[in-house]
Amino acid sequence: MYIETNREIHLKNRPVGIPTKEDFSVVTVPVAVLKAGEVLVKNLWMSVDPYMRGRMLERESYIAPFVLNEVLSGGAIGEVVESNNPAFPVGSKVANMSGWREYFTTSGADLQPLPDTGMQDQAFLGVLGMPGMTAFTGLTKIAQLKEGDTVFVSAASGAVGAIVCQIAKLKGCYVAGSVGSDAKARYLREELGVDAVVNYKTTENLQQSIAQACPNGIDVYFESVGGAHLEAVLNLMNEHGRIAVCGMIDQYNATSASAGPSNLSQLIIKKLTMQGFIIFDHWDGYPAFVEQMTQWIQQGKISAKETVYNGIEQAPDAFIGLFTGQNTGKMLVKLD
Amino acid sequence: MYIETNREIHLKNRPVGIPTKEDFSVVTVPVAVLKAGEVLVKNLWMSVDPYMRGRMLERESYIAPFVLNEVLSGGAIGEVVESNNPAFPVGSKVANMSGWREYFTTSGADLQPLPDTGMQDQAFLGVLGMPGMTAFTGLTKIAQLKEGDTVFVSAASGAVGAIVCQIAKLKGCYVAGSVGSDAKARYLREELGVDAVVNYKTTENLQQSIAQACPNGIDVYFESVGGAHLEAVLNLMNEHGRIAVCGMIDQYNATSASAGPSNLSQLIIKKLTMQGFIIFDHWDGYPAFVEQMTQWIQQGKISAKETVYNGIEQAPDAFIGLFTGQNTGKMLVKLD
């Protein structure tokens, strides 16, 4: 097998507001010649995730910004198709952070062999990967979830949110969430057993709707949105409530700094804890998480939906779709 | 000894913005006749505290609102001057929550005898009372202070802030604070050994000034102000920093909801924890605190300044002065 060319996605412009297709380019490049000790990986699936929006800005953050006119990167699942490294024989499935391209060569140092679980490959980009691990860690470690808590989840039908809802139900909690369409609301209620769902796009009064969805107040808020959601929920939190801050997607495409909630004094009045986290800090718990989550999936206790775009040329559309509500569950790109 | 009349302060109007003297009235009332088991307490010192502003609004909070045209209440130190209760003989000094009045009768259930420490009575309203306990608990329990941390303290020359600064120095931290006058800045630097002080009223760029005061970033922020302070500090926090939210005095007199910081996503980027607290939740630790703090005072390691107004009729002025920077250290009213 000899691969001559490889398609990859470059960042052409730093997006202003919601990214457009013109901010990206599909570039065909030669594949590097395999050196001693190296392997050639063909990506089968790649992930697009909201956090990538932050890397498209030119600013210091917890992770370096993407470089203009160079290939993007992100989580992917690939297969070794040529190998000069006995640790990764041809046919090995590997998780990697070299998404947004069809092929790449590597010494293997940045590859993780997929655990032997019998699960589908792409699950390791979703329910068994970073999003699932984020849901699990955010609920159990950051928010210190207790049986009987009322849990409110924003972006509740997304890759992380839908797993948060299911874990919280498994742990004996009352669970409510917010979503942006009635179809997503039905999915949560009918397929995931979520107790109450708010469609934030159609409600006239977000706080009132959340209050109705959570008649006993909120003990744990899994925050992925920010903005009006945070302001409404702060007013509805119970004493000693915990807010796990996973993301603030409301602000990722803001073209100017948008004001925060005017009611942060609720932190004092209700004695709340609000804690931000980045899942990479907690990666030592990943093997235990995979074991637990695999069990839940095999027992039929947790299910994971996917929204799949086909072909690397669709990756920009898939990414943009994250900010326009195109996905239910994990947004994935299947490479040819 | 027979007391016929008692002066007390009533709340006449719910203040709009910074309270004025017209929001209060001095009322002379008869002293209730002592019943079996009761004691008559003469207050010697009373406390005015920023949190009382919140109780002047008609809204649900962690503590009930003050009632219009009734006597206010708050921390005070008194002396038993008549007694039908052997647990509180005449001459006993007692801490109580029946401030804003000269005399009151009680069964004694709401009185705490002053611990026998040799300290001045009024210290139990300040460094050895709620403000000292707030500083100690906020730093050690809420913010999980560690030796070598950089600590930034807003309202740093106030009753709580000045104790926060000193405890943090004692624990081997680099300490910087913000205050509203050069005299207060000198007090912190020259008398309390604070490493760097920002005068927020004269700086042209608050964030830049705080950054200069904290060249290694901020690990612990003791938050009593909110608003622009919080926004600036969020940008300067180090990874895994902790924010103990004690108060947000910037907002106590706001006549409309003022927007929060636009950069709460720093909570995620820096993996910060922001925790609000109310000291009453932690009162089981009070005896141990008094023992530790008494020792520090006796060893000359902690000092406490007081700003004293004389006479109950001055209590409204003292209270208003909290919001116009009239106090250094604990603001007290000495009753005649």
Side-chain angles (χ1 to χ4, degrees):
Chain A
M1 179 173 185
Y2 184 73
I3 314 293
E4 261 190 356
T5 60
N6 167 42
R7 287 185 301 166
E8 57 186 34
I9 309 293
H10 289 200
L11 184 65
K12 213 162 73 182
N13 310 301
R14 300 207 177 275
V16 176
I18 293 184
T20 67
K21 286 185 78 164
E22 288 62 46
D23 295 326
F24 303 89
S25 55
V26 186
V27 178
T28 302
V29 295
V31 171
V33 175
L34 218 56
K35 293 184 202 132
E38 286 191 336
V39 300
L40 176 65
V41 178
K42 175 184 186 180
N43 275 330
L44 307 174
W45 295 90
M46 63 164 272
S47 180
V48 289
D49 299 279
Y51 82 87
M52 293 172 175
R53 181 65 182 86
R55 298 190 68 185
M56 293 177 186
L57 302 174
E58 192 161 20
R59 68 156 184 217
E60 203 194 341
S61 184
Y62 63 95
I63 185 166
F66 290 126
V67 178
L68 277 186
N69 298 311
E70 291 197 7
V71 61
L72 293 162
S73 62
I77 303 296
E79 182 177 352
V80 174
V81 291
E82 286 188 49
S83 178
N84 291 333
N85 180 343
F88 295 98
V90 169
S92 314
K93 298 284 181 66
V94 288
N96 65 79
M97 285 302 290
S98 297
W100 299 87
R101 72 201 82 183
E102 294 178 306
Y103 293 89
F104 63 99
T105 59
T106 167
S107 70
D110 53 343
L111 303 178
Q112 287 81 42
L114 289 198
D116 185 20
T117 58
M119 296 286 124
Q120 291 184 304
D121 296 341
Q122 72 273 26
F124 291 92
L125 296 176
V127 60
L128 284 168
M130 195 184 67
M133 178 73 180
T134 299
F136 183 76
T137 305
L139 270 183
T140 58
K141 200 164 160 186
I142 306 296
Q144 299 279 318
L145 189 76
K146 293 192 307 285
E147 190 180 332
D149 278 340
T150 289
V151 179
F152 186 74
V153 186
S154 56
S157 66
V160 175
I163 308 300
V164 171
C165 290
Q166 294 176 84
I167 296 175
K169 284 304 298 177
L170 267 178
K171 298 272 187 185
C173 296
Y174 177 94
V175 179
S178 64
V179 298
S181 82
D182 290 340
K184 290 174 179 176
R186 274 194 304 278
Y187 163 61
L188 288 187
R189 266 195 305 261
E190 293 169 15
E191 295 183 47
L192 304 188
V194 169
D195 298 290
V197 186
V198 171
N199 181 338
Y200 73 89
K201 285 194 179 156
T202 54
T203 180
E204 281 172 23
N205 185 325
L206 183 62
Q207 183 176 324
Q208 205 170 68
S209 295
I210 298 176
Q212 283 163 358
C214 303
N216 296 316
I218 298 169
D219 301 301
V220 166
Y221 176 37
F222 198 98
E223 164 68 305
S224 299
V225 169
H229 267 80
L230 179 56
E231 178 139 357
V233 171
L234 279 169
N235 288 331
L236 300 171
M237 292 295 291
N238 291 329
E239 285 202 355
H240 300 291
R242 291 88 65 202
I243 302 179
V245 190
C246 166
M248 291 196 170
I249 200 169
D250 242 21
Q251 287 159 50
Y252 294 173
N253 294 301
T255 51
S256 60
S258 48
S262 65
N263 58 347
L264 279 179
S265 58
Q266 293 292 324
L267 291 173
I268 309 167
I269 295 168
K270 312 268 188 65
K271 312 138 189 181
L272 307 177
T273 303
M274 195 168 170
Q275 185 172 354
F277 69 108
I278 305 273
I279 197 58
F280 303 116
D281 285 354
H282 304 272
W283 212 249
D284 55 345
Y286 184 65
F289 157 76
V290 168
E291 197 182 322
Q292 171 67 85
M293 184 57 83
T294 301
Q295 204 177 58
W296 280 335
I297 296 171
Q298 286 167 341
Q299 294 169 342
K301 291 180 175 168
I302 292 216
S303 71
K305 235 183 181 148
E306 294 163 356
T307 301
V308 179
Y309 283 56
N310 284 292
I312 190 145
E313 67 281 6
Q314 297 256 30
D317 278 330
F319 177 68
I320 294 164
L322 291 172
F323 304 105
T324 57
Q326 302 307 308
N327 62 308
T328 301
K330 177 63 194 154
M331 181 74 104
L332 290 167
V333 182
K334 188 174 191 315
L335 305 186
D336 298 324
Chain B
M1 181 172 184
Y2 185 74
I3 314 293
E4 262 190 354
T5 60
N6 166 43
R7 286 184 303 166
E8 58 186 33
I9 310 293
H10 289 200
L11 184 65
K12 212 162 73 181
N13 310 300
R14 301 206 176 276
V16 177
I18 293 184
T20 66
K21 286 185 77 163
E22 287 63 44
D23 295 326
F24 303 88
S25 55
V26 186
V27 178
T28 302
V29 295
V31 170
V33 176
L34 218 55
K35 294 184 202 130
E38 286 191 338
V39 300
L40 176 66
V41 178
K42 176 185 185 179
N43 275 329
L44 307 174
W45 295 88
M46 63 165 271
S47 180
V48 288
D49 300 280
Y51 81 88
M52 293 172 175
R53 181 65 181 86
R55 298 191 68 185
M56 293 177 185
L57 302 174
E58 193 161 20
R59 68 155 185 217
E60 203 194 341
S61 184
Y62 64 94
I63 185 166
F66 289 127
V67 178
L68 278 186
N69 299 311
E70 291 197 8
V71 60
L72 293 162
S73 62
I77 304 295
E79 182 176 354
V80 173
V81 291
E82 286 187 50
S83 178
N84 292 333
N85 180 342
F88 296 98
V90 169
S92 313
K93 298 283 181 67
V94 289
N96 65 79
M97 286 302 290
S98 298
W100 299 88
R101 72 201 82 184
E102 293 178 307
Y103 292 90
F104 64 99
T105 59
T106 167
S107 70
D110 54 342
L111 302 179
Q112 287 82 42
L114 289 198
D116 184 20
T117 58
M119 297 286 124
Q120 291 184 304
D121 297 340
Q122 72 272 25
F124 290 92
L125 296 176
V127 60
L128 284 168
M130 194 184 67
M133 178 73 181
T134 299
F136 183 76
T137 305
L139 269 183
T140 58
K141 200 164 161 187
I142 307 296
Q144 299 279 318
L145 189 77
K146 293 193 308 283
E147 190 180 332
D149 278 339
T150 289
V151 179
F152 186 74
V153 186
S154 56
S157 65
V160 175
I163 308 300
V164 171
C165 290
Q166 294 175 83
I167 297 175
K169 284 304 298 177
L170 267 177
K171 297 275 187 183
C173 296
Y174 177 93
V175 179
S178 65
V179 298
S181 82
D182 290 340
K184 290 175 179 176
R186 274 194 304 278
Y187 163 61
L188 288 188
R189 267 195 306 261
E190 293 169 16
E191 294 182 48
L192 304 188
V194 169
D195 298 290
V197 186
V198 171
N199 180 341
Y200 73 89
K201 284 193 179 157
T202 55
T203 180
E204 281 172 22
N205 185 324
L206 183 62
Q207 183 177 323
Q208 205 170 70
S209 296
I210 298 175
Q212 282 163 358
C214 302
N216 296 316
I218 298 169
D219 301 302
V220 166
Y221 176 36
F222 198 99
E223 163 69 304
S224 299
V225 169
H229 267 81
L230 179 55
E231 179 139 357
V233 171
L234 279 169
N235 288 331
L236 301 170
M237 292 295 292
N238 292 329
E239 285 203 354
H240 300 291
R242 290 88 67 202
I243 302 179
V245 189
C246 166
M248 291 197 171
I249 200 167
D250 242 21
Q251 287 159 50
Y252 294 175
N253 294 302
T255 51
S256 60
S258 48
S262 66
N263 57 347
L264 279 179
S265 57
Q266 293 293 323
L267 290 173
I268 309 167
I269 295 169
K270 312 269 188 64
K271 310 136 189 183
L272 307 177
T273 302
M274 195 168 170
Q275 184 172 355
F277 70 107
I278 304 273
I279 196 58
F280 303 116
D281 285 353
H282 305 271
W283 212 249
D284 55 344
Y286 183 65
F289 157 76
V290 169
E291 196 182 322
Q292 172 66 84
M293 184 58 82
T294 301
Q295 202 177 59
W296 280 336
I297 297 171
Q298 285 167 341
Q299 293 168 342
K301 290 181 175 167
I302 291 217
S303 71
K305 236 183 179 147
E306 294 163 356
T307 301
V308 179
Y309 284 58
N310 283 292
I312 191 146
E313 67 282 5
Q314 297 256 29
D317 278 330
F319 177 69
I320 294 163
L322 291 172
F323 304 105
T324 56
Q326 302 306 309
N327 61 308
T328 301
K330 178 63 194 154
M331 181 74 104
L332 290 167
V333 182
K334 189 175 192 315
L335 304 186
D336 297 323

